[in-house]
């Protein structure tokens, strides 16, 4: 008999810490809108046009623009920002699979849904174009602490740490409440 039922995955408050990390970093990073000319030039470097735009990593239909160099690594800002020189068109599979890894390490890895794993036949050509893109466009690196000052940056980091600690405390309370409710429903 085919199994058609599956319980929903229980939600954990602490399971959302990566969303909080992303919000704390992405919330302060500038988003520099590119001109039409900059978009066209970036696409040309990747061997595309507006009509032929596709995922730079695998060639599938693009759904978004991926941060070529991640904004966050090890729960810290890498120094990169959101600008055309740090973005390439990507499909959802590649963007999710790549995550915050270095593009070249990931594209040649055995990671689930990586272009290598999916057997993309023109992978070497794509890698060459991405090398050219990386050489031609140097994304800006910023030092947030240098720009905003030590105290304000430390306050932002402290706020983040307090929120994560509060989430852990909330999880403990939530677990107690959940057990009490579970026990009450079993007694009925």
């Amino acid at each position: 008999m085919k199994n058609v039922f599956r319980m929903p995955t229980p939600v954990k408050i602490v399971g959302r810490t990566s969303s909080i990390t992303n919000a704390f970093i992405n919330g302060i990073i500038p988003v520099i809108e590119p001109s039409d000319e900059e978009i066209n030039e970036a696409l040309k470097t990747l061997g595309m046009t507006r009509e032929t735009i596709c995922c730079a990593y695998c060639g599938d239909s693009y759904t978004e623009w991926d941060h070529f160099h991640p904004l966050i690594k090890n729960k810290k800002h890498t120094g990169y920002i959101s600008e055309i020189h740090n973005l390439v068109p990507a499909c959802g599979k590649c963007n999710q699979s790549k995550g915050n890894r270095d593009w070249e390490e990931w594209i040649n890895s055995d990671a689930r849904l990586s272009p290598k794993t999916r057997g993309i036949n023109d992978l070497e050509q794509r890698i060459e174009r991405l090398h050219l893109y990386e050489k031609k466009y140097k994304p800006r690196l910023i030092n947030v602490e240098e720009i905003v000052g030590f105290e304000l940056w430390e306050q932002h980091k402290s706020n983040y740490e307090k929120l994560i600690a509060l989430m852990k405390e909330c999880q403990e309370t939530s677990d107690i409440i959940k057990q009490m409710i579970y026990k009450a429903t079993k007694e009925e």
Side-chain angles (χ1 to χ4, degrees):
M1 179 187 302
K2 182 179 179 183
N3 187 5
V4 296
F5 180 77
R6 189 179 74 152
M7 290 296 290
T9 304
V11 174
K12 292 240 175 227
I13 294 168
V14 292
R16 302 292 182 214
T17 57
S18 63
S19 297
I20 299 299
T21 303
N22 286 337
F24 266 77
I25 299 298
N26 287 317
I28 64 168
I29 300 305
V31 175
I32 312 296
E33 287 287 332
S35 67
D36 284 341
E37 185 178 306
E38 288 173 314
I39 294 168
N40 291 340
E41 188 61 33
L43 290 172
K44 182 179 175 185
T45 302
L46 291 168
M48 303 175 206
T49 66
R50 287 176 182 262
E51 291 73 32
T52 63
I53 188 172
C54 62
C55 177
Y57 303 122
C58 75
D60 283 355
S61 296
Y62 89 104
T63 56
E64 56 225 64
W65 284 72
D66 175 49
H67 286 99
F68 195 51
H69 299 283
L71 301 182
I72 302 167
K73 210 164 199 167
N74 301 322
K75 300 182 182 180
K76 294 184 173 137
H77 179 238
T78 60
Y80 292 105
I81 65 173
S82 293
E83 63 173 328
I84 191 68
H85 298 149
N86 191 32
L87 295 165
V88 295
C91 67
K93 285 183 219 169
C94 283
N95 195 4
Q96 289 173 5
S97 174
K98 179 178 165 279
N100 64 357
R101 286 179 262 193
D102 171 76
W103 74 268
E104 192 169 10
E105 173 190 314
W106 163 77
I107 206 167
N108 287 305
S109 77
D110 292 327
R112 185 176 176 279
L113 299 178
S114 75
K116 177 187 170 202
T117 303
R118 290 170 34 217
I120 302 304
N121 56 2
D122 64 344
L123 189 56
E124 290 306 314
Q125 292 168 313
R126 293 188 172 284
I127 291 171
E128 283 179 37
R129 279 192 223 114
L130 290 166
H131 276 295
L132 177 63
Y133 190 81
E134 188 171 42
K135 186 176 179 180
K136 184 173 181 177
Y137 302 111
K138 298 291 181 199
R140 285 180 249 200
L141 276 169
I142 63 169
N143 182 324
V144 175
E145 184 179 324
E146 192 175 282
I147 294 168
V148 303
F150 176 80
E151 283 184 37
L152 187 55
W153 182 234
E154 286 301 310
Q155 179 63 51
H156 188 67
K157 291 187 327 189
S158 175
N159 289 342
Y160 165 77
E161 290 164 6
K162 288 177 195 172
L163 186 53
I164 297 299
L166 182 58
M167 288 175 73
K168 289 176 182 174
E169 184 181 325
C170 291
Q171 184 65 58
E172 291 170 9
T173 305
S174 174
D175 289 343
I176 292 166
I177 293 169
K178 184 177 184 176
Q179 284 302 316
M180 292 172 76
I181 294 171
Y182 182 76
K183 185 179 177 187
T185 58
K186 286 294 190 182
E187 292 173 357
E188 292 179 358

